[in-house]
Amino acid sequence: MIFKRAFGYIAPILHENPLGLPQRNVKGAPQIPRRGGPIVKRRIPNVKKVVAVASGKGGVGKSTIAVNLAFAIALHPTRPRVGILDLDIFGPSIPKLMGLENVEEPWLTSNGAIVPPTNHSLPCMSMGFLLPSSPSSPSSSNEDTPVVWRGLMVQKAVQQLLFDVDWRGEEAGAGLDLLVIDMPPGTGDVPLTLGQLVVVDGAVIVSTPQSLSLSDVRKGIAMFRKVDVPITGIVLNQSHYICPSCSSPHYLFGPPDRFIEVAEQLGVRVLGQLPLVPEVSMKSDAGVPYMLAGKVEGDEWRNTMNGVASSVLDAIKLS
């Protein structure tokens, strides 16, 4: 049994319950450990494996890669059940990328868990689905609605998104084989909360060729290692461009030499180098992941992403 609840009109919103969920009669989320206390990590309910897609800085195409990685894995010959969780509280991108910008507020199960919306046959959850419409928006959209929260509210919201979403799907009890988590940029409250509370099976780090981006990659990898999250590898986005009239790669943002050097220094695997393809951005704006756009044969971007997906599956040993 499922029912509706208007998150946007719950008042007051408490620090312990920022999403305004009803009291549940099940075991709650684990608590964030105090300074010096033991870290006890748990699995997300109804999820076998978790892979985080992260970056040290914003604007590198991390969310686009996270969504397309999820679909590349879902389309793998083994056909695992995959879901997407957007943990970017302040700047959620998944509603746009999944074509769910104007979706109605999610339903709740009878015990108060959120039922994730589904599009393109993949369930996904995001803070963007829970925001009220902006009064100043001419289309009654929540696109301009800001989340103005301090750290404690963010931590609690992340806990609820991790442990109060029902990933069982239409087949009761089936759950997900893999949950791909789209992380916010940086090394703040959200990645630390995830790393302290959840058993994360791998992290894919996204970068662009610029030295500034690579500098932040180092910080991101160091942060994940500090909370014992294994680094599956790194992906170079916007590596090169191949113009229609020639077959030579053009390194618009610099050659990948420095990227490869940093990967070797950090002891992490290079999972793939994705070219700059304008259609990836166009499809993303239309809410259609590029992995679903036509045939893969001869498409370097999608072939590379399929290789990244296979490497991730091998690394996390999904059975």
Side-chain angles (χ1 to χ4, degrees), residues 283-307:
K283 289 292 183 182
S284 297
D285 287 344
V288 180
Y290 188 64
M291 288 303 299
L292 302 181
K295 296 181 179 179
V296 179
E297 184 178 354
D299 188 319
E300 182 182 352
W301 201 97
R302 280 179 283 187
N303 285 331
T304 301
M305 184 58 72
N306 280 330

Side-chain angles (χ1 to χ4, degrees), residues 58-59 62-64 85-97 125-129 131 142-149 154 158 161 182-185 190:
K62 167 188 54 59
S63 296
T64 299
L85 175 60
D86 184 356
L87 281 189
D88 195 338
I89 302 298
F90 297 107
S93 300
I94 295 303
K96 176 75 171 179
L97 295 171
M125 187 58 209
S126 170
M127 185 69 198
F129 298 143
L131 298 176
N142 64 5
E143 188 176 1
D144 298 329
T145 304
V147 175
V148 187
W149 287 348
V154 174
V158 169
L161 288 172
D182 179 26
M183 302 294 296
V190 176

